[in-house]
Amino acid sequence: MTDERTQVVIIGAGPAGLLLSHLLHLAGITSVVLEDRDRTHIEQRVRAGVLEHGTTEILTQTGVADRLHREGLVHEGIELRFDGAGHRIPMTELTGRHITVYGQQEVVKDLLARRLADGGDVRFEVAQVQVHDVGTAEPSVTYLSEGVRHRVVGDVVAGCDGFHGVSRAAAGDTLRHLHRTYPFAWLGVLVHAEPRTRELIYAAHENGFALYSMRSPEVTRLYLQVGADERVDSWPQDRIWAELAVRFSLDGEPWDPGRGEIFDIAITPMRSFVTEPMQRGRLLLAGDAAHIVPPTGAKGMNLAVHDALLMSRAIEHWYRTGEETLVNSYTADALARVWRAQHFSWWMTSMLHRFPGDDLFQHRLQTAQLANVTASRAYATALAENYVG
Ligand code: APR
Ligand code: PHB
């Protein structure tokens, strides 16, 4: 077994792990990033696409947003569509801030390129990752690579390995897991088509929710609420297009979001999940390893970025002053934002989806709430504040 030392061992090269490694580097702190997939996989994996105003600022201030500013799509509003009519929430007018539409895998590509250019240590295709001794001052991570077992000892281990990673379990049963599973899922497609509108459309229809989004001037991203146990096979392309057109209806007429070749299709479960606390001893968790939000509020990647920022500040403060105050308050600091995002995501999800057993009465209640949100400046501002972050 090989043996080496670094300051922070980071498990996972998603947005949380890569940004953490970058921020630590800027503070003069060394890290090793251990990723179980290969580089192509993490750079191609289709995920979220909305960056809050604050997320774009963090990436800009730390010098990894050149391409984001060139290729990202700045959005100053969103549309809520219900009862056959569209209602715009003018986010920038209400809050002075905007969102940027830019795929998560593009953020990953930019962060990884920068880490490698800065001489960062990112190791791909590591297997059997295990976390050890988090209750001591010498926590470590072992893994297998090309048949050889390796051990990296650090002062801190950062668990940034997503919902299905190993680090949360390594914190043991002192953590409490709070969760909620929604009785539906999202079918998401990527389409080679020019966006038909400039802004995202969140549509609430009696048949269920639909979302119109985009990735670039050539690619649209569309979602349909489907049953929790549904499979992609039961959604041939014609059915997808027909259902989208109905759910996006305007003035009683089907509204076609712009057809093109569907080149990616997947079903994502909808759940909320929070780990409390987000740390144990020298193991700190960030991003999806610690919490999941349903995608309706577009918060997942933004929470991962915010955790990485808080964690890097806490670790930097600790190295600089020898004080553990910020490390000890990491959970409380991160969870304040996580629960705000959980509430917003739950609210958007409940307002826009059809739940099993919902009757027309329930649909009318949801529509009345949407009417309130779009008619009242105070309500619209609250939504916009939460959405732009
Ligand atoms: N060992 C090493 N790496 C692992 C392991 C493991 N045992 N398990 C998972 N990983 C890797 C994954 O391959 C992935 O690259 O950890 C990384 C975790 O990245 P993400 O899942 O993207 O999580 P995070 O960085 O927290 O970003 C959260 O991802 O799912 C979206 O909506 C979510 O936008 C949010 C974002
Ligand atoms: C996306 O573009 O993938 C997207 C946009 C908004 C959401 C969720 C996903 O709320």
Side-chain angles (χ1 to χ4, degrees):
M1 177 150 80
T2 68
D3 233 331
E4 49 191 319
R5 234 204 120 84
T6 186
Q7 288 178 292
V8 181
V9 190
I10 299 173
I11 309 175
L18 288 171
L19 180 62
L20 176 66
S21 179
H22 174 57
L23 296 173
L24 291 173
H25 171 73
L26 295 179
I29 298 164
T30 60
S31 64
V32 172
V33 181
L34 302 172
E35 165 61 48
D36 69 352
R37 311 302 296 254
D38 63 31
R39 180 173 178 177
T40 313
H41 181 87
I42 67 158
E43 290 191 331
Q44 304 302 329
R45 193 166 39 195
V46 176
R47 291 278 183 83
V50 172
L51 306 188
E52 290 178 354
H53 193 97
T55 298
T56 303
E57 298 226 303
I58 293 166
L59 298 174
T60 305
Q61 283 158 12
T62 60
V64 283
D66 291 353
R67 197 164 66 92
L68 162 62
H69 286 291
R70 279 201 309 275
E71 297 176 18
L73 307 171
V74 171
H75 285 214
E76 301 193 336
I78 54 168
E79 179 181 324
L80 298 182
R81 193 172 287 188
F82 54 96
D83 251 359
H87 305 260
R88 182 169 188 261
I89 307 276
M91 293 181 307
T92 304
E93 186 190 316
L94 294 169
T95 67
R97 302 195 298 280
H98 61 258
I99 55 155
T100 308
V101 174
Y102 190 65
Q104 177 170 317
Q105 73 274 30
E106 305 305 324
V107 175
V108 164
K109 277 183 208 159
D110 296 346
L111 285 168
L112 181 60
R114 179 59 187 266
R115 277 317 289 126
L116 298 179
D118 285 345
D121 189 342
V122 184
R123 304 178 191 177
F124 294 101
E125 296 182 81
V126 302
Q128 296 177 24
V129 172
Q130 288 174 350
V131 185
H132 311 274
D133 304 325
V134 298
T136 73
E138 295 224 314
S140 65
V141 178
T142 54
Y143 65 94
L144 197 64
S145 178
E146 292 174 353
V148 180
R149 191 118 207 109
H150 301 266
R151 185 166 88 118
V152 189
V153 182
D155 297 318
V156 177
V157 174
C160 304
D161 48 351
F163 185 65
H164 301 288
V166 294
S167 51
R168 187 170 62 249
D173 51 16
T174 53
L175 304 192
R176 179 167 47 186
H177 304 308
L178 298 103
H179 51 89
R180 176 163 296 189
T181 306
Y182 294 90
F184 39 75
W186 277 15
L187 172 105
V189 293
L190 279 167
V191 184
H192 283 302
E194 195 183 314
R196 234 192 113 171
T197 66
R198 292 195 51 239
E199 294 178 347
L200 272 58
I201 304 170
Y202 288 79
H205 187 274
E206 258 187 277
N207 286 10
F209 172 72
L211 172 61
Y212 172 89
S213 180
M214 60 201 73
R215 282 292 177 277
S216 73
E218 295 90 33
V219 173
T220 55
R221 177 84 172 129
L222 307 166
Y223 296 98
L224 276 176
Q225 174 188 351
V226 298
D229 302 321
E230 270 181 81
R231 297 164 54 94
V232 168
D233 314 343
S234 50
W235 283 90
Q237 301 208 358
D238 285 351
R239 185 178 175 205
I240 294 176
W241 290 120
E243 193 58 26
L244 284 165
V246 168
R247 294 193 194 179
F248 286 121
S249 288
L250 273 182
D251 301 324
E253 294 295 323
W255 186 88
D256 195 310
R259 297 190 184 200
E261 182 211 348
I262 294 180
F263 64 95
D264 188 276
I265 177 163
I267 293 187
T268 316
M270 297 274 286
R271 57 162 89 88
S272 304
F273 172 83
V274 181
T275 302
E276 289 182 347
M278 287 169 55
Q279 63 197 102
R280 182 178 173 200
R282 292 292 182 88
L283 171 65
L284 305 178
L285 305 176
D288 276 16
H291 41 73
I292 296 278
V293 281
T296 331
K299 291 286 161 237
M301 173 170 37
N302 297 292
L303 287 177
V305 163
H306 189 252
D307 285 352
L309 180 68
L310 285 179
M311 199 193 288
S312 72
R313 282 186 186 152
I315 294 172
E316 185 191 347
H317 182 78
W318 177 52
Y319 277 122
R320 213 179 48 236
T321 65
E323 283 174 23
E324 291 189 30
T325 10
L326 290 187
V327 172
N328 293 337
S329 67
Y330 169 68
T331 288
D333 295 341
L335 281 183
R337 193 184 188 94
V338 167
W339 277 110
R340 194 149 53 83
Q342 285 291 1
H343 178 263
F344 177 65
S345 308
W346 164 83
W347 179 59
M348 290 284 279
T349 303
S350 324
M351 183 164 62
L352 291 162
H353 290 74
R354 185 191 165 94
F355 285 68
D358 274 3
D359 54 9
L360 189 58
F361 188 91
Q362 184 61 27
H363 181 66
R364 293 272 193 271
L365 285 180
Q366 283 174 313
T367 310
Q369 185 173 27
L370 284 160
N372 245 334
V373 167
T374 48
S376 136
R377 195 174 169 90
Y379 244 139
T381 306
L383 189 151
E385 291 278 0
N386 276 289
Y387 194 84
V388 297

